[in-house]
Amino acid sequence: MMPEFQDTAVVMKEVHSLFRAENDCATVADTKVLEHSIHEHFEQKEQEIKATIHALTCDIKQQETSPEMEELNTIREKSEWLANEAVSSAQAVKEMEKEQKELEARLQQLSVENEKLVQSEKQLRSETIVDAPKVAHSLSLYKNISRVKWDYDAASMKGVITRRTEVYPFNYPEANYDSINTLWDLIASAG
C-alpha cells in the first residue's frame, strides 16, 4: 500500500522527536533506514502503477485494432454513409415529386389545348366540306372572267392574262397595294 499523508505526518513527528532526544547517531541511522524503506516502497508502487497503465493502454490499443472494432468502425462508416444517402434520396424524391406534379399539370393543360385543336379541326373540316364547292366554283368563275393563269411555283406574284389572241405576262416581286392595282389595270386593258 502507498503511504498516506497522515502516515507521513506521523513519521515526521517521530523523526522530529528523535532528533530532540539527542540520540543523534542512532536516530539518524534509523531515520535513514526508514527513509530508504519508504522510498523503495514508493518506487515499487509507482512501477506497479506504470505497469498497470501500460497494460491497460496495450489492451485498449488491441481492442481498437481488433477485428471486432474494425468491423464496428466499418459498420459505423457505412451507417453514416447510408444516412447521408437517405437524406439525399429523400431530397431527390421530393424534387422529382414536384417535377412530376408540374409535368402532370402541363400534360393536363396540353390535353385541354389538344382537345380544343381537335374540335377546331373538326369544325374547319366540316366548314371546308361545305364551303369547298362554293370556293371552287368562285375560283373557276374568277378564272374564266379574268383569264388569269397563276404560276404557283414562282416566289413572286407571277402569271399570265390570256385573251383570244394575246397573252399578257406579269411578274411583281411582292403583293402590295400598287402591284395589285397595276394587275387590275392590266386585266381591264386586256379585256
Side-chain angles (χ1 to χ4, degrees), residues 45-69:
K45 290 298 178 182
E46 187 177 31
Q47 291 301 324
E48 288 175 8
I49 290 171
K50 284 182 181 179
T52 303
I53 290 172
H54 180 70
L56 289 173
T57 304
C58 289
D59 284 348
I60 289 172
K61 285 182 181 177
Q62 256 185 342
Q63 287 177 358
E64 286 176 351
T65 59
S66 70
E68 292 85 11
M69 282 303 288

Side-chain angles (χ1 to χ4, degrees), residues 22-191:
E22 298 192 8
N23 296 335
D24 291 342
C25 287
T27 304
V28 169
D30 289 343
T31 303
K32 285 254 186 214
V33 169
L34 186 58
E35 179 187 3
H36 183 67
S37 172
I38 290 172
H39 185 68
E40 283 181 356
H41 183 68
F42 179 76
E43 284 183 359
Q44 179 186 4
K45 290 298 178 182
E46 187 177 31
Q47 291 301 324
E48 288 175 8
I49 290 171
K50 284 182 181 179
T52 303
I53 290 172
H54 180 70
L56 289 173
T57 304
C58 289
D59 284 348
I60 289 172
K61 285 182 181 177
Q62 256 185 342
Q63 287 177 358
E64 286 176 351
T65 59
S66 70
E68 292 85 11
M69 282 303 288
E70 288 179 10
E71 184 178 347
L72 181 62
N73 287 335
T74 303
I75 290 171
R76 186 177 299 126
E77 290 171 0
K78 286 181 181 179
S79 176
E80 289 173 0
W81 181 81
L82 287 173
N84 290 337
E85 284 297 310
V87 168
S88 298
S89 296
Q91 289 173 344
V93 166
K94 285 181 183 179
E95 290 174 10
M96 287 180 192
E97 287 173 347
K98 180 182 176 185
E99 186 177 341
Q100 180 184 6
K101 287 179 183 179
E102 291 171 357
L103 290 173
E104 286 173 351
R106 180 70 177 138
L107 179 63
Q108 181 66 27
Q109 181 184 12
L110 290 174
S111 294
V112 169
E113 288 178 24
N114 184 44
E115 186 61 35
K116 287 179 183 177
L117 289 173
V118 167
Q119 292 301 324
S120 295
E121 181 185 17
K122 286 180 182 178
Q123 183 178 355
L124 286 173
R125 284 185 190 273
S126 67
E127 289 173 3
T128 302
I129 291 171
V130 171
D131 292 340
K134 291 179 189 176
V135 171
H137 176 69
S138 296
L139 287 175
S140 175
L141 184 62
Y142 170 74
K143 180 182 172 187
N144 288 333
I145 292 173
S146 67
R147 297 196 184 238
V148 173
K149 183 178 178 187
W150 295 97
D151 182 359
Y152 295 111
D153 294 332
S156 59
M157 223 171 78
K158 185 178 180 182
V160 292
I161 300 171
T162 59
R163 290 293 176 233
R164 293 182 189 112
T165 58
E166 298 177 30
V167 175
Y168 302 96
F170 63 89
N171 186 6
Y172 301 107
E174 57 183 37
N176 58 31
Y177 181 77
D178 292 333
S179 61
I180 292 172
N181 279 339
T182 306
L183 181 60
W184 279 114
D185 291 342
L186 185 61
I187 291 171
S189 69

